[in-house]
Amino acid sequence: MYNLQNRIVFITGASSGIGKSCARQFAQLGAHVVLTARRKDRVQQVAKDLASEFGTKTLAIQLDVTDRKSVFEAVEALPPEWQEIDVLVNNAGKALGLDKGYETRIEHLEGMFETNVKGLIHVTSAIVPGMVKRNRGHVIQIGSTAGHWVYPGGTVYCASKHAVKAFNEGLKMDLHGTAVRVSSVDPGLVETEFSLVRFEGDSERAKTVYANMTPLTPADVADAVSWCATRAPHVNISEILLMCTDQSHATMVNRRSS
Ligand code: NDP
Ligand code: 8X3
């Protein structure tokens, strides 16, 4: 098992949901955690909680992954003892709306592709060269079942997650011959703020997504992420596709009558 004690883990989208749970899992494993997101107060609070609960060494940084310049500046400005990132969890992402692909509003199209695809590539590009130089590191993308299957209303979001899947396959080949590992953890329905964001704050509509079924929790996904990161260095987990027992395919969800 790969020991993450005192290793540096950099997480995007650590203010909520899966990213926040990953931060907790890595903190429990003794890692030092860099928490990033746009909502600075939230990442500061997560950092404070982990420090008081586990004594974790944390760094909270306000970061918008869509801003390539800020991403590179933030990575370059890391204090020396935080520079040697061992694990990158590229988690920041979103779905916006449930429109047909050709009717998707430009701000939704841009919001999804700028964050899910370009943002993930910006962060990877800022961090991976250091991993290559040290010949050590692990990039873990949070993909989605939406990167494997398409569903009605998810055309653009699914296209963005298919792009993540393709980028990740390429990244593994780009890093061929190095010791840098590349994984993708691809969940189905997870109850987080994801649907609240998708439906622009409509909490009633968001709740219906997870009604009368038992979705994955963010901690279930973080388990898979930390499992990838703790395998022996010669083991590279390429992909984990995970769904709750109530979900069998993109739109095949077992809902119990209430
Ligand atoms: P949440 O909405 O709970 O979390 C999303 C996180 O992304 C937040 O921390 C948010 O922080 C951050 N984020 C959004 N935009 C940006 C940005 N431009 N720059 C930096 N951070 C950003 O949703 P989830 O935890 O569910 O989503 C996390 C990932 O998991 C996403 O990539 C999503 O596509 C994926 N996923 C989710 C599933 C689900 O059913 N929930 C299933 C499969 C995959 P802030 O707003 O503070 O910037
Ligand atoms: C999130 C899973 O099915 O809600 O990536 O799009 S789904």
Side-chain angles (χ1 to χ4, degrees), residues 143-146 151 157 161 187-189 194 198 247 250:
S144 172
T145 47
Y151 57 86
Y157 176 67
K161 289 296 186 179
L189 291 162
F194 178 84
R198 170 171 246 167
Q247 183 175 16

Side-chain angles (χ1 to χ4, degrees), residues 177-235:
T178 78
V180 180
R181 298 190 278 179
V182 179
S183 304
S184 189
V185 173
D186 302 347
L189 291 162
V190 190
E191 191 161 10
T192 62
E193 293 177 14
F194 178 84
S195 294
L196 194 65
V197 171
R198 170 171 246 167
F199 301 128
E200 296 171 308
D202 183 341
S203 56
E204 286 312 308
R205 191 169 177 202
K207 266 189 232 153
T208 64
V209 177
Y210 315 104
N212 304 320
M213 50 88 69
T214 307
L216 292 174
T217 65
D220 296 326
V221 183
D223 267 348
V225 171
S226 65
W227 185 77
C228 291
T230 50
R231 294 312 85 207
H234 69 285
V235 179

Side-chain angles (χ1 to χ4, degrees), residues 10-230:
F10 188 105
I11 303 174
T12 67
S15 59
S16 167
I18 296 169
K20 183 175 164 184
S21 274
C22 288
R24 194 180 161 80
Q25 283 269 354
F26 283 110
Q28 284 176 298
L29 291 165
H32 301 172
V33 187
V34 187
L35 304 131
T36 72
R38 292 167 306 172
R39 288 171 292 180
K40 194 173 182 194
D41 53 333
R42 288 260 206 133
V43 274
Q44 281 175 330
Q45 188 58 51
V46 177
K48 214 169 136 197
D49 294 345
L50 296 179
S52 74
E53 199 173 350
F54 307 111
T56 308
K57 216 174 138 197
T58 56
L59 195 60
I61 300 176
Q62 182 169 34
L63 185 66
D64 183 340
V65 298
T66 67
D67 183 343
R68 184 176 175 91
K69 191 163 171 280
S70 301
V71 169
F72 276 76
E73 284 171 358
V75 171
E76 278 158 24
L78 287 170
E81 68 274 24
W82 289 93
Q83 292 264 339
E84 299 199 349
I85 296 164
D86 293 288
V87 180
L88 161 62
V89 182
N90 253 324
N91 162 77
K94 64 190 60 164
L96 297 169
L98 258 184
D99 302 305
K100 292 181 192 295
Y102 62 85
E103 288 174 350
T104 299
R105 298 188 337 232
I106 184 67
E107 58 273 27
H108 282 181
L109 167 63
E110 286 175 355
M112 289 186 266
F113 268 77
E114 289 292 331
T115 313
N116 304 359
V117 185
K118 290 172 70 178
L120 175 140
I121 297 174
H122 298 328
V123 180
T124 305
S125 307
I127 291 178
V128 160
M131 292 180 169
V132 171
K133 209 189 281 171
R134 294 185 290 281
N135 200 30
R136 189 184 81 224
H138 196 161
V139 181
I140 305 178
Q141 321 286 16
I142 304 301
S144 172
T145 47
H148 297 255
W149 311 308
V150 179
Y151 57 86
T155 305
V156 172
Y157 176 67
C158 295
S160 78
K161 289 296 186 179
H162 274 68
V164 169
K165 187 174 188 294
F167 178 77
N168 222 35
E169 279 177 30
L171 183 63
K172 181 70 185 85
M173 292 189 277
D174 295 338
L175 291 166
H176 183 70
T178 78
V180 180
R181 298 190 278 179
V182 179
S183 304
S184 189
V185 173
D186 302 347
L189 291 162
V190 190
E191 191 161 10
T192 62
E193 293 177 14
F194 178 84
S195 294
L196 194 65
V197 171
R198 170 171 246 167
F199 301 128
E200 296 171 308
D202 183 341
S203 56
E204 286 312 308
R205 191 169 177 202
K207 266 189 232 153
T208 64
V209 177
Y210 315 104
N212 304 320
M213 50 88 69
T214 307
L216 292 174
T217 65
D220 296 326
V221 183
D223 267 348
V225 171
S226 65
W227 185 77
C228 291
T230 50

